[in-house]
Amino acid sequence: MPTTTAAQRREQARVEYDAFIKNCPTNQLLTRISDKWVSLVVCALADGPLRYSDLGRKIAGVSPKMLTQTLRSLERDGILARTVTPSVPVRVDYELTPLGHSLGCLLSAVKDWAELHIEQVNEAREQYDEAS
């Protein structure tokens, strides 16, 4: 059996990824980025860094616990960076990484689509409910 380099093994694994398989890493990543709070946090950070309290005010309905969990998971995935500035009180800023910006373009487009088409969706729902 011929030996393979790490780059070749990564490329082979990339070819074998299948998001339709539950245990596939890409399926798990899709689950993460399709979360409502993830989408809203990424979209909120698209214009630049924000502090935790600013994010909490901008994203209506998110609990402190969910915001913290979402920020930690996005930081772990390399989608956002957390910067701590020593001061009194300590200042913590969150901003998108280059990877996060590439995702932000997609999620912003989905958010914009939802805002643009909500009336059509509501009409379709009403028609469906009346027919049922």
Side-chain angles (χ1 to χ4, degrees):
M1 176 176 205
T3 59
T4 58
T5 66
Q8 290 170 326
R9 287 191 301 273
R10 281 193 302 272
E11 181 58 31
Q12 181 61 33
R14 203 175 357 259
V15 169
E16 294 172 357
Y17 287 152
D18 184 348
F20 291 106
I21 298 172
K22 183 178 181 180
N23 292 331
C24 180
T26 56
N27 180 289
Q28 296 165 359
L29 181 58
L30 283 172
T31 298
R32 167 77 45 81
I33 63 176
S34 65
D35 178 79
K36 169 177 74 172
W37 301 122
V38 167
S39 299
L40 293 174
V41 166
V42 170
C43 289
L45 292 171
D47 293 330
L50 290 173
R51 296 176 76 175
Y52 180 91
S53 57
D54 297 329
L55 282 166
R57 279 191 294 276
K58 188 165 188 166
I59 304 170
V62 67
S63 69
K65 178 182 176 183
M66 281 310 303
L67 182 57
T68 298
Q69 286 178 353
T70 302
L71 291 169
R72 284 183 182 158
S73 70
L74 290 172
E75 183 180 11
R76 181 174 184 254
D77 290 343
I79 293 170
L80 65 78
R82 178 178 181 263
T83 304
V84 179
T85 304
S87 61
V88 178
V90 174
R91 179 184 175 102
V92 180
D93 292 290
Y94 296 91
E95 65 182 315
L96 295 177
T97 63
L99 181 63
H101 278 289
S102 69
L103 175 62
C105 295
L106 301 170
L107 294 179
S108 291
V110 171
K111 180 188 80 59
D112 293 344
W113 181 91
E115 292 170 347
L116 183 64
H117 295 286
I118 187 61
E119 290 303 319
Q120 291 171 285
V121 171
N122 283 336
E123 288 172 18
R125 288 175 179 170
E126 289 173 12
Q127 290 173 2
Y128 179 88
D129 292 344
E130 287 173 6
S132 296

